[in-house]
Amino acid sequence: MSTGTPSEPVTPAEREADAGVMHISLGERTTLLGKLIFFIAIAFSTWQILTAAGIIAQSTLVVRSVHVGFVLLLTFILTARMRTSKGVQFWFDALLGVTGFVLAFYHWVFEGDIIWRSGDPNLTDIVIGCITVVLVFEAARRVMGIALPIICALFLAYALLGEYLPSPLNHRGYSFAQVVDQMYLGHEGIFGIPTYVSATYIFLFIVFGSFLERAGIIKLFTDISIGSVGHTQGGPAKVAVVSSALMGTVNGSGVANVVTTGQFTIPMMKRSGFRPAFAGAVEATASMGGQIMPPVMGAVAFIMAETLNVAYVDVIKAAIIPAILYFGTAFWMVHLEAARLGLRGMSKDQLPSVSKAITGSWYLLLPLAVLVFLLFAGFTPLFAGTVGLGFTAIIIMGSALSARFRVMALRYVFWVVIGVVGWLAYDNNMLPYMLLGTVAVLVGGLFLVKGGRQTLRICLEALGEGARNALPVAVACALVGVIIGTMTLTGAATNFTRVIVAVGENNLFLSLVLTMLACLILGMGIPTIPNYIITSSLVGPALENLGVPLIVSHMFVFYFGILADLTPPVALAAFAAAPIAKAPGLKIGLQCLRIAIAGFVVPYMAVYTPALMLQDGGPMAEAIGYWPAVAYVVLKAAISVGLWGAASIGFLFVRMPWWERLWAAVAAFTLVVAMPITDEIGFALALSFIAFQVFVRRRQQQSPGAVA
């Protein structure tokens, strides 16, 4: 096996686009400053991997603090490098980064003292806490823009001054020292659950994806997508859907997929006859689905698992059917639009062979297979991610090293030995240490063979880019800790929950609509992670009090936080696709609303029938049993989103006038509501509509000169 040509590194726009941030890359490696930045990024990744694997054992608070310190150092030194001159501003930025990194060791050095005086911070605690919190705000402003820092500043102001507000908005009042203690010294605030998840699961999986991308998995997924569906009607657009779904299994990023896969799928769709706005919308919609596509999903999924104290595999279980429906709907919308326009697929002789692609690079799928196996075997995402990352590194370096063996039998022996050692290590709970030892041996071997150092540079680039790609997520996680700290200190969510519950006592649907609007509005200014944290903290308990299963209520919020990036007027994913599609971002966003209809429908259906997310509860499961309820609601959801698609595109078997589109839309809407009478009406309308379309189609075919 060989690694082939390594794929290009993740572009600077990738993770940055998820947060609407400025474009900052690691840059060149030739100058002293460039080498220093690259070294810091590698050190950051190495520290996180060693702590995740348990090689370096430190308390969770120290791990979180050093994580934030590395984030501040790398953020400020990257912005310093962007200065046009090495004057005062350059050195000021560098000083901010070094200060943030040095202060990160305060918890490490004085952890025992901090615990001893818990709740009674001294002056040094307060000063260092203030400096660190201010640095986090400034780093977030530079990386993500002003919207999120303003929102978090409002929460911080509420913690400090909320006692002066009128009832019921006020709280009992807290001293400045109490607020600093909450925001900095403990496991709330900037070192809360989001930062813990960022310092463990999220960082690890971002580096994991970076290694896979360097190994060439993007090309493999592209070849599989084009070879499997490129020849079908509307094939280029279906390629975009399939490739984005596959990419979602690796990087769990949203707008990242727009930049990577969109570079070739959007022009390909335009060449085949799709309108530019529709082509951009297909890629944006499919790409955002990467955050709900198991097994990796998006960063929010890890935060959700930790917040709800459930196994990550439970989050995967809840997401699997909605993810299939989401991508299935996008696929269906593409098919209908292609049929409406009379577009053909690509010529088969122009397509890559799926079998050859898999045969040549099948080993790149092994880390994903190992990851899925370990997750469903009950191991933690941290363990599974560590093993997956180590396995990927072994594949990259081992392929390069074994290719030097001229005798094929030696190559087989080489991999058999690694496989046997790995299985024995797994059987004896020594797998992380085996992986680390094997990587060390392979590194030594590559140093000794000709061309081996090029492979090592690939791995170093993956480490560096992984750290760089983690910055927007890590900064967001640290800053939204201010919101969580304020919530837990003041109990601010209680009043909001009371309002939602009061509304929902009379109308659950209205409560859900209000929640959806809150997610969409918040998502216009902030990324998915803080959007989820804010809305789930405020609304999650309220929906649970109204009888909605907790994981379903959090998935409801999660979905609409993602869809905010597709919803005008901001529609971040649509604007990311705009320069590639050469179409207005707002126009692409409007098309996204049509294509992503499943994302808007499925969460509502899951609330009324939790079986759609494989959760217990709901009147239907009690009436007919759990698995029959699952089958029934999946069928109903598929018919509903199928009819939404037909109504939106204006085509099923033939073109539809406005009244037929209204017919289909009414049938789809009645199937969303989980009431026996609405289901009966919905199925009747759906069957009659489909029968009418078949009748019209046959009549047109029988008419001389008819055009379908």
Side-chain angles (χ1 to χ4, degrees):
M1 294 184 294
S2 64
T3 58
T5 303
S7 64
E8 288 298 314
V10 182
T11 65
E14 273 201 15
R15 319 285 170 171
E16 296 162 348
D18 278 320
V21 305
M22 69 176 72
H23 299 290
I24 311 174
S25 66
L26 286 180
E28 44 76 28
R29 315 281 193 270
T30 55
T31 65
L32 179 61
L33 180 60
K35 292 178 181 178
L36 176 63
I37 292 173
F38 191 49
F39 173 79
I40 292 171
I42 292 174
F44 188 10
S45 291
T46 303
W47 161 263
Q48 295 295 163
I49 292 170
L50 293 178
T51 54
I55 306 301
I56 296 178
Q58 285 293 335
S59 70
T60 180
L61 189 58
V62 170
V63 170
R64 301 179 201 193
S65 181
V66 175
H67 175 74
V68 173
F70 266 117
V71 169
L72 294 176
L73 175 61
L74 193 54
T75 297
F76 284 114
I77 200 167
L78 282 172
T79 56
R81 197 200 61 200
M82 294 178 65
R83 302 294 182 186
T84 54
S85 66
K86 299 298 186 287
V88 175
Q89 288 185 321
F90 170 86
W91 291 109
F92 179 71
D93 288 350
L95 178 63
L96 292 180
V98 173
T99 301
F101 183 68
V102 171
L103 294 184
F105 291 87
Y106 186 71
H107 282 90
W108 193 337
V109 177
F110 300 106
E111 184 178 18
D113 295 335
I114 293 173
I115 294 174
W116 180 258
R117 57 177 179 267
S118 178
D120 185 26
N122 61 24
L123 181 60
T124 305
D125 295 338
I126 295 174
V127 171
I128 292 179
C130 289
I131 294 173
T132 303
V133 171
V134 169
L135 288 176
V136 169
F137 268 90
E138 176 60 14
R141 185 192 68 81
R142 297 192 184 198
V143 174
M144 311 180 68
I146 196 63
L148 181 59
I150 287 177
I151 292 174
C152 293
L154 291 175
F155 275 89
L156 186 59
Y158 178 76
L160 292 168
L161 306 172
E163 62 181 306
Y164 302 109
L165 294 175
S167 179
L169 299 176
N170 62 333
H171 55 69
R172 67 177 181 84
Y174 303 92
S175 68
F176 186 79
Q178 285 177 291
V179 174
V180 174
D181 180 72
Q182 180 80 355
M183 299 301 166
Y184 174 71
L185 289 177
H187 292 83
E188 306 291 342
I190 62 173
F191 301 130
I193 288 177
T195 296
Y196 166 71
V197 176
S198 172
T200 51
Y201 311 137
I202 296 174
F203 194 99
L204 199 63
F205 277 88
I206 287 177
V207 177
F208 176 43
S210 182
F211 266 83
L212 280 175
E213 289 165 356
R214 286 278 173 178
I217 203 165
I218 293 179
K219 184 178 185 305
L220 173 61
F221 284 164
T222 301
D223 290 345
I224 291 175
S225 304
I226 297 176
S228 58
V229 298
H231 65 284
T232 61
Q233 191 167 45
K238 292 176 180 176
V239 168
V241 176
V242 174
S243 61
S244 294
L246 292 174
M247 282 298 298
T249 65
V250 176
N251 62 13
S253 182
V255 184
N257 287 348
V258 176
V259 179
T260 50
T261 60
Q263 293 290 349
F264 73 91
T265 58
I266 292 176
M268 189 165 57
M269 283 187 271
K270 290 172 62 179
R271 287 195 300 270
S272 69
F274 287 101
R275 292 166 295 165
F278 187 85
V282 168
E283 181 57 48
T285 304
S287 293
M288 290 310 298
Q291 296 187 68
I292 60 170
M293 188 66 186
V296 174
M297 302 178 63
V300 170
F302 297 103
I303 297 176
M304 185 189 303
E306 196 66 30
T307 302
L308 300 181
N309 195 26
V310 298
Y312 180 68
V313 70
D314 291 336
V315 178
I316 292 178
K317 185 174 72 171
I320 186 66
I321 292 178
I324 293 173
L325 287 171
Y326 183 92
F327 282 103
T329 303
F331 200 88
W332 171 243
M333 298 288 279
V334 164
H335 179 80
L336 291 178
E337 179 71 1
R340 186 181 71 85
L341 297 176
L343 303 180
R344 302 295 180 184
M346 302 166 66
S347 175
K348 285 191 174 183
D349 57 5
Q350 298 177 352
L351 305 180
S353 169
V354 175
S355 60
K356 287 183 178 179
I358 296 177
T359 302
S361 303
W362 61 270
Y363 54 90
L364 295 177
L365 300 175
L366 289 179
L368 286 175
V370 170
L371 177 68
V372 173
F373 169 77
L374 292 175
L375 286 174
F376 281 90
F379 291 95
T380 66
L382 196 59
F383 179 85
T386 303
V387 173
L389 173 59
F391 196 30
T392 306
I394 288 174
I395 286 176
I396 293 174
M397 292 187 287
S399 298
L401 193 59
S402 64
R404 271 66 181 179
F405 299 153
R406 295 184 178 181
V407 181
M408 185 62 68
L410 291 178
R411 299 184 186 182
Y412 288 119
V413 170
F414 175 84
W415 288 109
V416 167
V417 169
I418 289 180
V420 170
V421 172
W423 179 256
L424 291 175
Y426 168 78
D427 208 35
N428 292 280
N429 297 320
M430 296 290 289
L431 198 51
Y433 297 97
M434 170 267 171
L435 292 173
L436 185 63
T438 304
V439 167
V441 171
L442 292 176
V443 168
L446 289 172
F447 261 113
L448 301 176
V449 299
K450 184 179 180 181
R453 297 190 180 186
Q454 176 61 31
T455 302
L456 293 179
R457 278 193 288 270
I458 291 174
C459 295
L460 291 177
E461 289 285 344
L463 287 173
E465 289 297 331
R468 166 62 197 91
N469 294 335
L471 281 185
V473 176
V475 169
C477 287
L479 188 57
V480 296
V482 171
I483 296 173
I484 295 179
T486 300
M487 296 286 195
T488 54
L489 180 66
T490 65
T494 304
N495 291 332
F496 193 86
T497 298
R498 193 178 299 121
V499 172
I500 294 293
V501 171
V503 172
E505 284 178 348
N506 300 317
N507 194 329
L508 174 60
F509 183 77
L510 181 58
S511 296
L512 295 175
V513 171
L514 292 175
T515 302
M516 176 190 73
L517 292 176
C519 294
L520 294 178
I521 292 172
L522 278 172
M524 292 180 185
I526 60 177
T528 307
I529 293 172
N531 187 350
Y532 162 77
I533 290 173
I534 296 171
T535 50
S536 64
S537 300
L538 292 172
V539 180
L543 294 181
E544 186 184 18
N545 291 336
L546 295 173
V548 181
L550 191 56
I551 195 168
V552 174
S553 66
H554 279 248
M555 289 294 290
F556 185 92
V557 170
F558 181 21
Y559 259 75
F560 286 109
I562 292 172
L563 292 172
D565 282 340
L566 298 174
T567 306
V570 177
L572 184 60
F575 279 93
I580 306 174
K582 293 181 173 59
L586 185 60
K587 194 173 182 179
I588 293 176
L590 293 174
Q591 292 291 329
C592 288
L593 294 182
R594 300 172 61 201
I595 300 170
I597 192 66
F600 289 90
V601 172
V602 168
Y604 282 92
M605 299 186 74
V607 167
Y608 288 105
T609 310
L612 185 61
M613 290 186 178
L614 300 179
Q615 303 299 306
D616 295 326
M620 183 178 296
E622 295 175 0
I624 65 176
Y626 176 70
W627 286 111
V630 172
Y632 177 80
V633 73
V634 169
L635 173 64
K636 190 173 73 161
I639 295 175
S640 177
V641 295
L643 291 172
W644 278 117
S648 175
I649 299 297
F651 187 94
L652 183 59
F653 300 119
V654 294
R655 290 179 181 268
M656 298 158 50
W658 69 267
W659 59 271
E660 286 187 41
R661 298 174 74 169
L662 180 62
W663 183 357
V666 171
F669 179 78
T670 53
L671 289 173
V672 175
V673 185
M675 297 174 59
I677 184 64
T678 56
D679 280 3
E680 292 172 4
I681 294 173
F683 280 119
L685 289 173
L687 289 174
S688 59
F689 169 75
I690 294 172
F692 182 77
Q693 276 278 296
V694 172
F695 169 75
V696 173
R697 171 74 173 179
R698 288 180 177 176
R699 189 175 65 178
Q700 288 186 359
Q701 289 176 336
Q702 293 170 359
S703 300
V707 179

